[in-house]
Structure formats: C-alpha cells, structure tokens
Amino acid sequence: MTAAGLALAGVAAAPAIFPILKSAAQIGKQPQGFYLLPTNQLLQPWGEQAVIQGRPVDSALDANKHLLAVLNTRGIDLFDAQTNMPTGTVKTKSSSYAGIAFRPGTSEIWSSETSRNGPDFLLVTPVSAQGAPGAGHEIALEGHPVPAGIAFSADGKTAYVAFSRSNTLAVFDATTQRLVREVPVGMAPFGVAYSAKHQSVYVSNRGGRRPKASETTAPSSGSAVLTDPLTGTAISGTLSVIDGQSFAVREIEVGRAPSGLALSSDESSLAVANGHSDSISLIDTGKLTKQDVKIPAYPQGVVGSQPIAASFSADGKTLFVACGGTNAIASVQRNGAKWTVAGSIPTGWFPTSVKTLDDGSLRVLNIKGTGNTSNGKGAFSSLVYEGSLVRIPAVNSGKLQAATREVIAANSPKLEPAGGVANLVSLGIQHVLLIVKENRTYDQVFGDIAKANGDPKLTMFGKSITPNHHALAEKYVVLDNFHTGGAISFDGHAWLMQSFVSDYVERAFAASPRGYAWNMADALTVSPTGFFWQGAPKPPSVKIYGEFCLPARWDAASQSVVDMNEGDLQSWTDYWKLYKEGKLIDMVASRSGVPALQQLIDPRYPVNDTSITDQVRADAYLRALGAFEKSGDMPQLSVLTLTSDHTNGTRPGSPTPRAMVADDDLALGRIVEGVTKSRFWPSTLILVVEDDAQNGLDHVDGHRTVALAIGPHIRRNAVDSNFYDHSSMIRTIQDIFRIPQQTRFVAAARAMTSIFTPTANTDTYTALKPEIALDEMNPPLKALAGRELWSAKQSLAMNWHDPDDIPSDVLNRILWWSSKGYDREYPVR
C-alpha cells in the first residue's frame, strides 16, 4: 500500500515525562501530542513518522542502503532509505509473517506470499535504482509450506527460504528460480541469515527442537511442538546452523519464540531475538557459543518486552532490538566480551523491524502505527489498519537516558484515581463469570443510551433487539469508555485470556497462514506465562464453557465426546429444529484446542459455531448451574462464550442479523437471571465483554466496545466513563482472587475499582424477551434484487463455521444495510 503521508513527531533532547491523565481520558491523540493506546500505553515516537496504510511486518535494505522495501499486508512499499519518502508500491497477494530481501548483484526483491490454506508463492519484483518497481512474477510453491524469512548467498546465486509449515529450509537456485532441496530444521522456522565468512545459513525455529515421543506436545498447524503440560505454551526455541556445502545441521538452544536474526557486518556475531523469553541470544559465529541478554519489560519484573527483531550498528558495538511489547528499540551495547542493555528509544505501536544506517540512524517499522482507526468518513473501525515507518536520528548517551525515561513512563501511564472500592478482596466475591461475546462496537448496541457517550445514528441493535443488554446496563453501570485490546478475534481472545499477544499473531493479519487460531488451538499463540488465572500460589477453581474449543458431538451411548470436523457441523435450520424438539442439548459438545486445558472444559457446552443458537448455550450453562446448586460447590472462575451476536450476515437459511443478536441477548438475560436466583448470587460477579469490535462502527474509536458488570456490589443506575480495557477487566479478576500479574500489560493496567460499591444489593433479575422472533429468517435469493441480492450471495459464500474466515469489511456493509436500509450509504455520518 502507498504511504499516506508524513507526521513529524520531532526528536526531543529531553522529553518531558507524561502528565497524569484524566481518569476518563479518551484513547487516541491527547492535547499534548502523545497517544493513549487501547493497551493502556502511551505513545510518542521519536523521529519522523511515515504513515503506511496496512499492517507492515518486515523490511529490507538494499546493498547500498539507499532503498528500503517493506512487506505490507497486500503489497510491497518502497522508500528512499535516507528521506523516508515513498518511491513506489507493488500490489501483491497476502503476505506472510516475514520474508523480504534484495538479491545481491541484481535489481530484484524477493518476498513471501501466502494464504490461509495455500497456494503459496515467492514474488520476484524488479526495482530501479530510484526505487521504482517493475512488473513482478511469482515462483509457485507446492503444497502449503508458508514461506517466511529469506536470505541470499553473497553472490546472489542461491536463495534460502524458511518454510514454516514444512519445518524445512528451502534452497533455491536464484538464477533458474527452481527449488534445489529442502533441509529439515526445527519446528516452525522463521528468520534466515547467511554468512559468507563461515559458509553457513542460520535459521530461527519458533517452535524449537523436534519433540521426543515421550514429551508433552500440542498441535501447531499440522505439527506437534514441545509444550508446557500446565500452560500449553511452546517451551523450546532453537537456532539451526546449516553448513552451506554439506547441509549438515547443528542446533543451538536459544530462548522461546525466536524470530528475527541479525548478523554483524564482520559476521562474527549473530543476534537472535527471543520474543517469548524477553531476551536476545548473541552467538559467536566462529565458536558457536552463546550469551543471553535479558531485555526488560516495563513495569519490570514481568514478561512482555517481546524482542522480535534486531540490527547491528556499522561498527558492531551496538545492537538495536525491536521490542513489540514496550513500543521501543532497546540499545544493547558491547563492553569487551559482555553485552548489556544501555537503554531504550520510543517507537510507534508494536515495532517489528529495525534497520541501522551507516550514520547510526534507525529505520523502524511499526505494525500498528499510532493506533488510528478513523475510516476517513467520520467514524471509526478496528479494521482500519495503519502502520508506520519511523526515521530516528542517531541517539547519543545523553539522549538515550532521556529516551529510556520516556519509554518507562509510557508503559506505566498515570491516571487520576477512578474511585470506588480499592480493596476488591474485601467485597467477599467468591465467584466470577466472564462471558465473552463476539465483535460489536459500543455504538452498535448502546449508542441509543441517551445519558452516556453514544451516537444513535450508528446504533444497529438497540433496545428493542437487545432489551437485556440495555436493562442490565441501565440497572447497573454503563461503561462508555471501555476498549478491546485487539482488532479482531485472533488477538481479541488472546488479550482476554492472556493479557499478551505474540508477534506470531500480530504479524499474521494478512493471511493467518498457519491457521486462524483465535481459540489458541496453536501452541505458538499461547503466552509464555499461560492464561490469566494461572500462576497463583492458590489458584482459583476454573471451568471453561466454549472458550478455546473445537467442534465435537456428544455420544449418548458412550457418554463421551466424539471428535468431529468443522465440515461435519449442520446448518442453523437443522440445529434449530433439534433445539425446538429438545434434542440439541444432548447432541452438541466441545473439546479443548489447548490440550493442557482439557480438564477444565465442560464437554457438554456447544462449540462456538454460529449455526448453533445461543439458547442451547444458556441451557447448557443453566444445567451446570443446577448441578452446582445441588452440590453447593461452584467454580470460582467460569469463562463462557456466547456467539450468536456475530451473526451469519444475510445468508439465506439463517436468521436475520437482528434475530441472531436478539438470540444472544436473550441467552445473556437467561444466564444472568439463573445466577441471580441461585444460592451463589450474594458472592458473585458477572463480567460481560466482546472479544473485539471488528464488525461495526463507533464514533469514538474502533476499539470501543460493549462491556457489562453485574453483581450485588456493582453500582446502580450509573454511567462510568473511566478509561478501561481488556487488561483492566482481567486485572479486576486477578485482584479479586489475589492472582499475581505475570505480563506487563496486566501489571500496568488498573483494576475497575470505580464500578464497585461496598454496600451489597442482592436484587434478582428476570430476563426480558426481545421483540424480534429468534427464527426471523433471511429471505431466499429468488425474493431479492440489487444490494439485497448481492449481500445474500456474499453471505452464502462466507465460511460461517470459522467465525472470522470472512471478509469483515464486506460483512460490516451487509449488517449496516440490513439494519439501516439498502438505500443508505455506508457509513451515514
């Protein structure tokens, strides 16, 4: 995509520490010029920032360091490396996690192209000395290997490409562009570097070494990777060192989730960025010895600096490390044989690549820019993707100290007190239900609540469709400044379950080529610290209903769960018929996509498929609640999913969007009613939230979403405009159960103290029935014309069994027209 413009941030010799923010601060650009992110971080990039439309993930410099090529979502952006000015753009298929390089001795750029299920390609693009691209051509790859990192031999005659799904290094004759061989390496190879001095190729393996038969593993895109038996996270990371002549392989253990590699100019040192270990492994390329350097997260003492790329200075004495978790470049300096962290420099949101020029200046690529979600038409959407390229002049030791202070302050922002109850343990809450729903913005549902900050013109599922959402918000507290941490389900569920999102996920938005593991059914997506309830000296009892789950059916004869494929799921009408006959609850089931969590899963709860009504999810939970009533024992933490509010668009054979949202609303009301009328109600808290806000518009920001807090100790008839986000909600649960914070995001978040009151009110709740029939069906194709027909055909073509395997921007228009009328333009602002 083309660069949309330049925004000058300016380099300050001694930037001021950020002011204390109002407790109700809105996310986005603040009056002082810095940004508040939905991850509870401040952002003030040093240097000149070029905005890039899309989510750029990787970059490469040509041999003369005159041109910089950027691997973007569906294109290659070319820049003058000295000025940051754009020189051209190449439109491509969806890109991979990484993989872009200039071929030595030629005017070619090679880059990786991939998709969710293949086919995959290498794109070869000619480029002029001035940076003007020519017409490229593709090298087709057999199967679905998922090309990632690319490196060349010094003479440019051989190309080395990491095949992520094949667990191999592919060797190409770069002249004939033919695959010569594949060399088995570790699991999920990512980065590639070549040393002419040592005639060696280096490959980082995100999934580490190949596991032994007796070891604990979990699946990752068709392969088994070594994992922790309690958390399910991948626990091995390795570097493969391949002899360029014999192709013999030696493996060196490094940190977890190794990604970017950097080779010093004299080729004596190789840096490996270990994204899940918060460390850099420095390899002596002659002796193949290793020195690990920890890269601190802020606040310190927790996980989350996420070093994912690196670049050496020209003299090899400084290593610059891109830290996606702290939005910074760490400066690691050599003193004799020892490397130490000297400080950090502020960047844009989630830096994913850093390059060093000979004058010591940096070129830093940021996946999420400054977090702008404006659609340019007066509204905001989380599907507006905007990255950036920052040019940072050389930073001397004095400026580095000031920069470091700014990075520390930006990652622990100070807000005015929110009020409420500071000591949440004192409330005596013994049970928490966390109910996770799908993909709505605040304005879509609550924009019609007059006393809060909403825009009724953007409301699509108002009070007549969601009477329980509205009644619960009005009865308790309207949260009109609550935000998702992520943009789509892939990262949204990770924020809620982990307060951590790997660069593996952040890089994958173009294609999710190893699979769209929004349910974390890929060990490489799991946080190094596991899930938010883990790690406590006395962990709470946990039960999971729907979250993390894969399709299954219940076999009554054997009283067990039977595995099934996504394609075996039935249609909405088939399931609805079974539901009306009272048979569905004894047929649906689920199994954990994270093997380590299988014992926590309720197998009788339906999988998150939108062909299954949320009423049977309510039935399944209320049946479990009835059993708890009899036993007198209820899990301290329950995680539930409701999915019908995702909708099936206007697909014939499915209910209308408003009927599916009404289905979701009624299920929520029934669950709340059941809990409030149970013996556990006096000591219970119910928290409700969307995993993301991707399928709609909002007038404040694309991350603002629907959230509810329900309980005896929740304030009544209140509007709470304090700034909160996903990590705030998780911090609240952790504080209630005295669970220590393990990631920097939840450690820096504040609990939602303002929603609580010390005085208990145990009034019960009775569910309201929506005005919309839950089986109000979309009309058949033969009854449609114009936009309605187009919308129905588009909806029919979408894979609704995978919640986000759909073109969300198309779905958003369909939902808008279905709600507002097919003669209304999108959006109306």
Side-chain angles (χ1 to χ4, degrees):
M1 310 290 281
T2 58
L6 296 176
L8 185 64
V11 177
I17 300 298
F18 301 100
I20 296 175
L21 300 178
K22 296 290 185 182
S23 188
Q26 299 286 328
I27 68 171
K29 193 170 186 178
Q30 304 300 302
Q32 298 89 343
F34 58 86
Y35 298 84
L36 174 61
L37 300 180
T39 52
N40 191 37
Q41 294 169 291
L42 303 181
L43 197 72
Q44 185 168 269
W46 281 28
E48 291 181 345
Q49 185 169 209
V51 174
I52 302 176
Q53 301 303 323
R55 289 178 69 96
V57 296
D58 198 4
S59 67
L61 282 169
D62 70 349
N64 298 318
K65 298 186 178 180
H66 290 162
L67 295 177
L68 183 78
V70 171
L71 186 67
N72 203 345
T73 314
R74 286 178 174 79
I76 298 171
D77 295 326
L78 291 163
F79 294 85
D80 182 303
Q82 301 299 318
T83 66
N84 251 27
M85 294 300 295
T87 64
T89 295
V90 180
K91 291 185 177 180
T92 70
K93 295 183 173 70
S94 53
S95 63
S96 187
Y97 300 97
I100 189 165
F102 286 86
R103 181 185 170 198
T106 73
S107 59
E108 294 176 356
I109 298 172
W110 286 41
S111 59
S112 295
E113 289 185 342
T114 186
S115 58
R116 187 173 297 191
N117 300 304
D120 302 334
F121 304 90
L122 294 174
L123 177 66
V124 180
T125 305
V127 61
S128 72
Q130 292 73 38
H137 67 277
E138 294 173 326
I139 303 172
L141 306 177
E142 291 187 12
H144 182 36
V146 181
I150 300 172
F152 287 94
S153 59
D155 59 10
K157 293 181 179 180
T158 306
Y160 303 99
V161 183
F163 275 4
S164 178
R165 287 191 77 247
S166 301
N167 303 316
T168 60
L169 174 72
V171 182
F172 286 83
D173 182 317
T175 303
T176 64
Q177 299 180 0
R178 293 185 180 276
L179 178 65
V180 175
R181 70 172 69 219
E182 290 186 56
V183 181
V185 290
M187 309 306 295
F190 184 90
V192 184
Y194 175 80
S195 169
K197 178 179 179 180
H198 298 289
Q199 292 289 291
S200 295
V201 187
Y202 308 96
V203 180
S204 60
N205 303 301
R206 287 192 69 95
R209 63 175 174 83
R210 294 173 184 251
K212 300 173 184 177
S214 61
E215 294 179 314
T216 301
T217 64
S220 176
S221 196
S223 295
V225 300
L226 189 63
T227 54
D228 182 277
L230 177 64
T231 65
T233 188
I235 57 174
S236 173
T238 60
L239 176 75
S240 292
V241 183
I242 303 155
D243 185 282
Q245 301 300 316
S246 67
F247 295 102
V249 181
R250 175 173 174 175
E251 200 162 36
I252 300 172
E253 195 77 28
V254 292
R256 298 185 188 185
S259 50
L261 301 178
L263 192 64
S264 62
S265 58
D266 65 0
E267 300 185 1
S268 64
S269 297
L270 178 78
V272 185
N274 305 313
H276 285 196
S277 286
D278 285 4
S279 70
I280 292 288
S281 294
L282 277 303
I283 309 296
D284 182 313
T285 55
K287 301 175 183 178
L288 293 184
T289 55
K290 179 189 66 165
Q291 179 185 158
D292 290 332
V293 180
K294 294 297 290 185
I295 308 297
Y298 306 108
Q300 294 198 45
V302 289
V303 170
S305 62
Q306 293 180 258
I308 55 177
S311 177
F312 282 95
S313 60
D315 61 9
K317 294 181 180 180
T318 301
L319 179 70
F320 296 100
V321 182
C323 299
T326 52
N327 307 323
I329 298 296
S331 176
V332 183
Q333 298 179 5
R334 186 175 66 187
N335 184 7
K338 188 176 181 181
W339 292 84
T340 56
V341 177
S344 297
I345 306 165
T347 66
W349 190 4
F350 213 92
T352 185
S353 178
V354 56
K355 302 300 178 187
T356 311
L357 270 59
D358 291 341
D359 62 359
S361 64
L362 305 177
R363 304 296 180 267
V364 181
L365 193 66
N366 307 288
I367 291 182
K368 297 189 280 189
T370 59
N372 178 35
T373 59
S374 171
N375 68 357
K377 300 177 182 178
F380 296 83
S381 168
S382 72
L383 298 177
V384 174
Y385 299 145
E386 186 179 280
S388 67
L389 176 65
V390 178
R391 181 179 65 165
I392 302 176
V395 176
N396 61 31
S397 59
K399 289 183 178 179
L400 184 60
Q401 292 179 13
T404 305
R405 290 194 297 270
E406 185 171 327
V407 169
I408 293 171
N411 281 281
S412 297
K414 305 299 183 185
L415 288 90
E416 293 177 347
V421 177
N423 183 4
L424 297 184
V425 174
S426 68
L427 298 176
I429 296 171
Q430 299 297 315
H431 310 284
V432 175
L433 274 71
L434 174 61
I435 301 177
V436 183
K437 305 189 317 87
E438 288 287 327
N439 302 10
R440 300 273 73 88
T441 70
Y442 176 92
D443 274 338
Q444 278 186 299
V445 179
F446 287 153
D448 58 350
I449 297 180
K451 65 182 181 181
N453 182 16
D455 186 341
K457 294 190 292 296
L458 296 177
T459 302
M460 297 164 59
F461 306 112
K463 189 172 185 177
S464 64
I465 299 170
T466 54
N468 289 291
H469 282 74
H470 281 73
L472 291 166
E474 297 273 11
K475 179 181 178 72
Y476 294 98
V477 57
V478 181
L479 296 166
D480 65 354
N481 196 14
F482 188 98
H483 304 268
T484 66
I488 60 176
S489 292
F490 201 177
D491 60 338
H493 283 271
W495 279 115
L496 277 170
M497 296 299 112
Q498 304 177 143
S499 278
F500 179 95
V501 177
S502 173
D503 68 296
Y504 171 86
V505 173
E506 297 286 11
R507 295 176 190 268
F509 275 44
S512 306
R514 290 179 60 95
Y516 190 78
W518 62 278
N519 52 10
M520 282 151 279
D522 182 338
L524 301 187
T525 67
V526 178
S527 164
T529 61
F531 302 97
F532 75 83
W533 60 84
Q534 296 177 324
K538 186 179 179 182
S541 57
V542 179
K543 201 69 178 177
I544 298 169
Y545 305 86
E547 189 68 51
F548 308 107
C549 288
L550 298 172
R553 64 178 176 82
W554 182 254
D555 182 70
S558 63
Q559 289 290 291
S560 63
V561 171
V562 178
D563 187 10
M564 62 188 291
N565 294 322
E566 181 183 281
D568 297 328
L569 291 162
Q570 299 181 42
S571 69
W572 188 92
T573 51
D574 290 334
Y575 280 134
W576 182 253
K577 180 176 182 293
L578 292 168
Y579 172 71
K580 298 297 286 184
E581 294 171 352
K583 300 176 181 178
L584 185 57
I585 193 169
D586 291 319
M587 295 179 61
V588 292
S590 57
R591 56 193 174 91
S592 180
V594 183
L597 302 182
Q598 182 60 51
Q599 71 275 16
L600 303 181
I601 300 295
D602 183 339
R604 304 298 304 275
Y605 198 83
V607 70
N608 295 308
D609 188 272
T610 55
S611 61
I612 299 173
T613 170
D614 272 345
Q615 298 314 302
V616 79
R617 294 186 176 89
D619 290 345
Y621 179 73
L622 292 173
R623 179 169 61 181
L625 180 62
F628 301 148
E629 286 272 34
K630 290 180 180 179
S631 69
D633 186 19
M634 179 178 175
Q636 291 171 282
L637 173 65
S638 299
V639 180
L640 287 71
T641 57
L642 297 175
T643 57
S644 288
D645 64 333
H646 186 288
T647 84
N648 286 339
T650 55
R651 178 186 178 93
S654 287
T656 62
R658 67 177 189 170
M660 293 193 73
V661 175
D663 178 21
D664 172 271
D665 177 82
L666 179 57
L668 174 64
R670 291 178 58 210
I671 290 170
V672 172
E673 177 179 349
V675 174
T676 66
K677 294 179 179 178
S678 76
R679 63 196 294 182
F680 307 105
W681 175 233
S683 60
T684 297
L685 168 68
I686 303 174
L687 297 171
V688 185
V689 70
E690 306 286 321
D691 73 303
D692 63 70
Q694 67 173 297
N695 289 146
L697 299 173
D698 192 87
H699 85 281
V700 172
D701 190 86
H703 297 93
R704 195 171 70 133
T705 196
V706 173
L708 294 167
I710 304 154
H713 284 283
I714 298 299
R715 295 165 60 199
R716 303 301 174 106
N717 305 309
V719 175
D720 191 323
S721 297
N722 288 293
F723 165 68
Y724 294 128
D725 60 13
H726 275 165
S727 292
S728 303
M729 186 170 281
I730 298 311
R731 177 63 185 264
T732 302
I733 299 172
Q734 290 187 332
D735 282 7
I736 288 170
F737 293 128
R738 296 179 177 175
I739 301 170
Q741 291 75 52
Q742 297 188 82
T743 74
R744 67 142 314 279
F745 297 101
V746 73
R750 56 180 184 165
M752 300 167 65
T753 59
S754 61
I755 67 175
F756 294 98
T757 178
T759 304
N761 182 334
T762 57
D763 286 353
T764 60
Y765 179 77
T766 301
L768 303 174
K769 290 187 176 181
E771 299 175 9
I772 311 300
L774 305 189
D775 59 352
E776 177 188 80
M777 303 301 287
N778 288 315
L781 291 179
K782 63 183 180 181
L784 304 175
R787 273 183 179 167
E788 284 186 88
L789 179 61
W790 179 88
S791 297
K793 287 182 176 179
Q794 291 291 319
S795 298
L796 273 172
M798 297 177 187
N799 176 22
W800 297 101
H801 292 310
D802 187 335
D804 285 335
D805 188 15
I806 53 174
S808 291
D809 197 47
V810 174
L811 176 60
N812 287 359
R813 283 163 169 74
I814 291 171
L815 295 180
W816 176 268
W817 289 324
S818 174
S819 172
K820 300 294 186 179
Y822 287 88
D823 59 340
R824 301 283 292 274
E825 291 304 314
Y826 170 88
V828 178
R829 286 289 291 160

